[in-house]
Amino acid sequence: MKIELVPEHIKKIIPYLPGKPLSEVERELGLKDVVKLASNENPLGPSPLAIEAIKKHINEVNLYPDNGVYYLRKKLASILNLSMEQVIIGNGTTDILGDIARTFLGPEDYAIVADQTFLVYRLAVQAVNGNLITVPLKNYTYDLPAMAKAVTPHTKLVYIANPNNPTGTMVTGEEFDRFLNSIPEDIVVALDEAYYEYIQDPAYPDSFKYVREGRPVIVLRTFSKIYGLAGLRIGYAVAPEELIRYLIKVKCLFNTSHLAQVGAMAALDDHDFVTKGKRVNKEGYQFLSEELKKIKVEFIPSVGNFILLILQEDPYKVYQKLLRKGVIVRPMKMWNLPQELRVTIGTHQQNLRFIKALKESL
Ligand SMILES: Cc1ncc(COP(=O)(O)O)c(C=O)c1O
């Protein structure tokens, strides 16, 4: 095979390492009843209404899905008070994050990302041979003034996670307004709100406002978190119609399956499940933060469904000890956070297991 045919920018990519799957840990360590708190999934399982809808439509998978995802876009548009031309559906938001780089970045262009954030932004830029400027966080939070200062005439795209994964911190509407007003109008801002539904802080941005104003902001949300459908792979983005038209040109054909489309439609009606998810997450956060304080483990206050711990010990060793006790979490070295460990907020039982295992591992 002529490996030299592969361009340098592809050779240089360091692949994303997802949280270890449950089955892998059970197989490798001969354990049963392993708890996965490593990928910010929903500990309550999938939305029951989504499961029902998937079962009902399972016999239709001989047909290709609706490539235009008409019904889900229409439903989202009506719920969000937008037009369906302002909505695009992806195979998870990860899919759309890649399409954004493919649509707006050429080889001469630069994208700005935070240094310690969701790694997919960086990978999306590297895959299209775009150039990256990375800006460190300040106090574990996006430093928007520094990101604005990093803009040059070559900047075409900025990725922002709000709240940030893995720190769980958010930027406010006021901060985001100031940022947007301080950068040129021809820069696309991808605003990733994967954890939007968990947020209870009224200072959080009303990001659709920018879309309605026709500003080049792409807001991304997902069915992977509060709706419990991470394995189904479906998410969406909202942006001014013109940007969506370009994204549609680039998107992979039939990127969301029929079952993902019907599952997501049903999940949108599952208000009880969403309410329960928010309550369990809030109670879990309170429980975990109190327990962490008791054992004097430092952590960053989070508005999401996960908590970043700052350890005195080597986080990788702690991670391995936790693994052997059947609890999967995530060391953050790859994310440029060498002393940190991220844990997803689970059910009460799972949180108890994690705290017990952590106490025994420190
Ligand atoms: C900030 C952020 N964006 C996007 C995603 C991925 O979402 P999806 O499953 O919709 O691809 C995650 C997943 O952990 C995330 O943390």
Side-chain angles (χ1 to χ4, degrees):
M1 189 164 48
K2 288 201 169 168
I3 291 294
E4 63 272 21
L5 289 180
V6 176
E8 271 313 304
H9 72 277
I10 300 292
K11 282 189 194 164
K12 274 198 274 186
I13 291 176
I14 304 170
Y16 186 79
L17 211 64
K20 246 182 179 323
L22 272 179
S23 55
E24 193 177 306
V25 175
E26 294 188 340
R27 196 173 60 239
E28 285 177 359
L29 297 177
L31 293 171
K32 282 209 174 79
D33 197 23
V34 171
V35 174
K36 186 179 176 209
L37 300 173
S39 301
N40 305 342
E41 291 145 336
N42 191 325
L44 300 176
S47 142
L49 290 189
I51 299 176
E52 219 175 276
I54 290 167
K55 283 185 182 160
K56 196 166 142 211
H57 291 273
I58 193 107
N59 290 328
E60 297 161 9
V61 295
N62 57 313
L63 301 176
Y64 283 103
D66 172 12
N67 184 50
V69 204
Y70 179 87
Y71 292 105
L72 179 57
R73 286 170 68 209
K74 194 157 186 274
K75 186 162 185 166
L76 277 167
S78 138
I79 293 170
L80 305 174
N81 196 19
L82 297 156
S83 81
M84 65 182 285
E85 287 74 25
Q86 292 170 315
V87 183
I88 187 170
I89 312 295
N91 192 268
T93 49
T94 304
D95 179 33
I96 310 174
L97 289 167
D99 287 346
I100 291 172
R102 291 202 287 155
T103 305
F104 300 104
L105 276 188
E108 305 292 309
D109 299 331
Y110 278 73
I112 299 178
V113 300
D115 195 8
Q116 300 92 354
T117 193
F118 192 43
L119 293 173
V120 168
Y121 311 147
R122 187 178 300 222
L123 290 170
V125 174
Q126 289 170 330
V128 298
N129 201 11
N131 301 290
L132 272 170
I133 292 185
T134 53
V135 176
L137 301 181
K138 192 172 172 187
N139 300 327
Y140 288 93
T141 307
Y142 264 70
D143 187 354
L144 293 186
M147 288 178 101
K149 266 198 198 126
V151 168
T152 72
H154 299 287
T155 309
K156 288 281 152 53
L157 176 61
V158 183
Y159 283 104
I160 294 173
N162 198 30
N164 186 30
N165 173 11
T167 58
T169 54
M170 65 168 232
V171 296
T172 64
E174 235 173 75
E175 288 163 341
F176 189 73
D177 265 351
R178 222 175 295 138
F179 169 74
L180 215 53
N181 291 333
S182 65
I183 62 170
E185 278 174 15
D186 58 353
I187 294 178
V188 173
V189 178
L191 187 55
D192 182 350
E193 298 187 338
Y195 302 94
Y196 164 78
E197 294 84 356
Y198 291 103
I199 311 285
Q200 315 219 341
D201 189 332
Y204 192 74
D206 167 19
S207 41
F208 293 162
K209 173 180 85 177
Y210 308 110
V211 175
R212 291 194 188 98
E213 287 168 3
R215 300 176 82 164
V217 174
I218 304 173
V219 184
L220 299 111
R221 297 203 183 153
T222 184
F223 289 93
S224 297
K225 307 296 174 184
I226 200 85
Y227 296 105
L229 301 177
L232 206 54
R233 307 308 302 130
I234 188 153
Y236 61 96
V238 162
E241 199 178 321
E242 191 188 344
L243 300 194
I244 295 290
R245 269 204 307 273
Y246 288 120
L247 285 167
I248 287 174
K249 286 188 183 191
V250 162
K251 90 170 186 70
C252 184
L253 193 63
F254 303 126
N255 57 335
T256 55
S257 74
H258 182 50
L259 296 183
Q261 293 180 25
V262 296
M265 293 263 295
L268 285 173
D269 293 329
D270 213 340
H271 306 297
D272 291 348
F273 185 68
V274 170
T275 306
K276 187 174 174 194
K278 285 190 204 178
R279 177 175 53 77
V280 168
N281 191 63
K282 191 173 172 193
E283 290 167 359
Y285 178 74
Q286 274 160 359
F287 171 77
L288 286 173
S289 47
E290 278 160 25
E291 292 298 311
L292 291 168
K293 278 180 201 156
K294 277 188 212 159
I295 57 170
K296 297 196 166 36
V297 170
E298 199 182 338
F299 64 95
I300 306 299
S302 170
V303 296
N305 68 344
F306 53 90
I307 306 179
L308 189 73
L309 316 187
I310 310 166
L311 300 184
Q312 302 296 323
E313 304 77 350
D314 177 355
Y316 193 73
K317 283 192 186 144
V318 176
Y319 155 75
Q320 284 187 316
K321 283 189 199 167
L322 288 170
L323 261 192
R324 285 195 288 275
K325 294 177 193 302
V327 179
I328 318 174
V329 295
R330 201 82 169 266
M332 290 283 124
K333 195 169 173 202
M334 260 193 92
W335 306 49
N336 264 343
L337 292 163
Q339 276 313 121
E340 285 81 353
L341 197 71
R342 192 193 65 199
V343 61
T344 303
I345 299 167
T347 59
H348 188 58
Q349 282 312 313
Q350 292 174 336
N351 296 335
L352 280 171
R353 276 259 322 257
F354 165 67
I355 288 291
K356 181 170 181 290
L358 183 68
K359 284 179 185 165
E360 293 165 0
S361 305
L362 291 174

